[in-house]
Amino acid sequence: MRITGYRSLATVHEWGRPVGDVNGVVASGVTEVPVLLLETDEGLTGVGLGSHPDVHRVFPALEAQDPRAVTSLYDRMLSYVFKSGHGGHVFGTIGALDMALWDLKAKIAQEPLWRTLGAADRFVPGYASGLEYALTDDELVSFYGSWAERGFSGAKVKGGLDIDRDVRRLNAVRDVLRVNSERPALMYDVNESWGAHQAVRLARSVEDRVDLTWIEEPVRRWDVAGHRTVAAAIRAAVATGENLTGLEHYRALLDAGAVGVVQTGSVWGITHFLRVSTLAYGHNLPVSPVGYNANPVAHAAASVPNHLVTEVQDLTFPVGLRVDQEIADGGIVLGDAPGLGIEVDEARIAAQAASGQWSVPGGPHVRPVDAGLRLTPGAAAHTAGSRRPYEGITK
């Protein structure tokens, strides 16, 4: 079997609510979902999800190759782009292609990917996380109530700008999940919105009022010293890694003892997750992939010995994708369909009229101009040229 070509599709996920974090919100609740189809000369097609704008540049590394040689092809793609580097869009493209290769490999074996990767159990423990920053307190309680009904005993709450609001919402979610556990796991994600000058003070302020399981991305993703300072000063674990795009980015954090829960971005692919998991395992650390549409990395999570929990962001799937899995019993129950278990209904995708809004200027992919430069968490954000860094300071 040989790889012969690829096709790109674009569908959307309809969340039914505003989604985002402290950096911005998609008010429409509609986000784009790029789909990559990897074709072979024997009629099998591999499915990869995630942004892949550089596919025209990376695909020649795979053309005419045997798709079963997945890990070798992953390194081949990295080697193919080594002069320009493998960050950002390039790494996302490699991740989507890698996902499609693993899908093909398992389809060739006529088994679900979790079996191909050696997992013994189809169940993947998870925690609920809805990008729920824009919801009101009442909407937040209602939202996590549906997860409690599905057996979840852990959840993530987005915050970082208003500590009192964050504490109130964390405690409200805790109360909702107590139907399944006396001490639910609470994850607190501030999405790099704090500076090193304030991270310890703010983290301790929250911890004084909430029993946190972990605090996520308290400072910039590459800030080893900042993460290490926070990790040494608080009781909860520090979690980070979803935005790192290579093992070389993880080593300094892990070697410094700056992270307690090692995260990976699901959009970076299966091989990336497996390699980061091995690195974390060598440091006696657990690994946790962040959520993504259709939860493709859950197959890999089921196969590694140090998987802790997988982030699950919604109870529905993107338009035109049928996914062989169930969200139940506090996690993901993977099915028996070959590969990733994702069927693509191209006619349904072509017929949908909605357009994704993730990349709008105010969306959560845009870092606010004063992120990390506030002296008080409640100080209002301002546009460039008008920011007043001392506004809101209590004397």
Side-chain angles (χ1 to χ4, degrees):
M1 182 179 292
R2 299 291 165 178
I3 299 167
T4 57
Y6 67 88
R7 288 184 293 128
S8 292
L9 305 175
T11 187
V12 297
H13 187 66
E14 297 173 338
W15 298 82
R17 62 183 187 276
V19 291
D21 57 40
V22 68
N23 298 298
V25 171
V26 178
S28 69
V30 179
T31 58
E32 58 267 41
V33 181
V35 181
L36 179 62
L37 302 179
L38 196 58
E39 300 169 330
T40 68
D41 59 1
E42 295 187 20
L44 277 183
T45 300
V47 179
L49 301 180
S51 180
H52 50 271
D54 277 13
V55 65
H56 62 285
R57 188 158 71 91
V58 179
F59 177 74
L62 301 183
E63 191 168 17
Q65 299 297 310
D66 187 329
R68 291 169 293 187
V70 181
T71 53
S72 293
L73 292 177
Y74 183 81
D75 289 325
R76 182 181 175 91
M77 287 189 285
L78 291 178
S79 296
Y80 197 79
V81 299
F82 94 104
K83 281 288 187 179
S84 55
H86 59 255
H89 286 315
V90 176
F91 204 64
T93 298
I94 291 172
L97 288 165
D98 174 72
M99 200 179 293
L101 288 169
W102 279 109
D103 186 46
L104 278 171
K105 187 176 179 70
K107 284 176 175 173
I108 293 168
Q110 298 183 352
E111 62 186 8
L113 181 56
W114 61 270
R115 286 229 182 259
T116 302
L117 292 171
D121 194 337
R122 69 180 69 238
F123 179 72
V124 180
Y127 69 92
S129 173
L131 306 174
E132 73 326 297
Y133 188 78
L135 300 185
T136 67
D137 290 2
D138 288 343
E139 290 170 339
L140 182 78
V141 167
S142 176
F143 172 75
Y144 278 118
S146 63
W147 294 87
E149 292 172 0
R150 296 194 182 222
F152 281 78
S153 59
K156 181 187 291 182
V157 172
K158 297 284 191 179
L161 190 58
D162 184 335
I163 301 304
D164 291 335
R165 176 182 188 262
D166 298 345
V167 168
R168 184 176 68 248
R169 290 160 71 85
L170 284 160
N171 283 326
V173 172
R174 175 201 61 197
D175 292 342
V176 171
L177 297 181
R178 273 185 170 158
V179 67
N180 296 319
S181 171
E182 181 60 32
R183 297 186 65 181
L186 295 176
M187 295 73 166
Y188 178 45
D189 189 359
V190 301
N191 290 102
E192 303 182 57
S193 62
W194 293 346
H197 65 286
Q198 62 180 182
V200 170
R201 174 170 56 88
L202 298 181
R204 281 178 169 173
S205 177
V206 175
E207 265 199 329
D208 286 343
R209 294 175 279 174
V210 183
D211 181 17
L212 295 177
T213 300
W214 77 55
I215 184 165
E216 189 168 327
E217 292 190 321
V219 293
R220 298 311 305 272
R221 63 197 68 171
W222 53 73
D223 187 354
V224 175
H227 278 98
R228 178 70 187 93
T229 298
V230 175
I234 67 174
R235 297 185 299 274
V238 169
T240 193
E242 67 180 271
N243 291 304
L244 305 182
T245 56
L247 293 186
E248 68 277 10
H249 296 165
Y250 285 85
R251 289 195 189 102
L253 282 163
L254 271 61
D255 288 347
V259 56
V261 176
V262 181
Q263 296 179 304
T264 65
S266 292
V267 293
W268 305 137
I270 305 296
T271 300
H272 172 71
F273 171 80
L274 293 172
R275 292 185 174 182
V276 171
S277 297
T278 300
L279 181 65
Y281 190 59
H283 285 77
N284 298 309
L285 291 171
V287 68
S288 176
V290 301
Y292 189 58
N293 295 293
N295 307 308
V297 176
H299 287 265
S303 73
V304 299
N306 54 332
H307 172 255
L308 183 62
V309 280
T310 289
E311 179 182 28
V312 189
Q313 293 182 340
D314 203 28
L315 299 174
T316 64
F317 300 113
V319 173
L321 299 188
R322 291 188 292 269
V323 187
D324 187 25
Q325 62 182 238
E326 182 183 3
I327 310 301
D329 302 324
I332 303 167
V333 184
L334 298 168
D336 288 315
L340 292 168
I342 300 174
E343 293 184 31
V344 180
D345 185 341
E346 296 191 47
R348 175 70 182 90
I349 291 174
Q352 64 89 19
S355 59
Q357 299 293 311
W358 191 260
S359 297
V360 296
H365 68 293
V366 179
R367 182 171 170 82
V369 66
D370 59 349
L373 296 175
R374 308 176 187 100
L375 289 183
T376 59
H382 301 282
T383 57
S386 65
R387 176 168 50 82
R388 298 184 293 276
Y390 297 101
E391 180 175 332
I393 294 178
T394 300
K395 294 183 180 179

